[in-house]
């Protein structure tokens, strides 16, 4: 085999983020559930094993980026 290029991780993460931007759809009712939790005054945050760029793309596409802000 061939060695991977040094930048393969950020390149892959960027490609995944782009794919998320094109094809991600929310689970039915999930954005509304998050909005209800926020409206009830319950603090929210996101924990994920996704790379930052991937997670930012997901939250933006789902319209949740501002909801979670820097609590990611």
């Amino acid at each position: 085999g061939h060695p991977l290029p040094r930048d393969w991780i950020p390149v892959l993460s960027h490609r995944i983020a782009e794919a998320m931007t094109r094809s991600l759809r929310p689970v039915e009712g999930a954005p509304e559930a998050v909005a209800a939790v926020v409206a009830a005054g319950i603090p929210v945050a996101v924990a994920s094993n996704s790379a930052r760029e991937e997670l930012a793309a997901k939250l933006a596409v789902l319209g949740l980026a501002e909801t979670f802000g820097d609590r990611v």
Side-chain angles (χ1 to χ4, degrees), residues 4-52:
L4 293 170
R6 288 182 180 266
D7 65 346
W8 75 273
I9 293 175
V11 168
L12 178 60
S13 183
H14 182 73
R15 287 182 180 175
I16 291 170
E18 286 180 333
M20 292 291 150
T21 300
R22 289 189 306 272
S23 62
L24 187 66
R25 301 293 177 263
V27 171
E28 186 175 330
E32 295 81 7
V34 172
V37 169
V38 170
I42 301 169
V44 295
V46 174
S48 175
N49 67 344
S50 294
R52 287 268 183 198

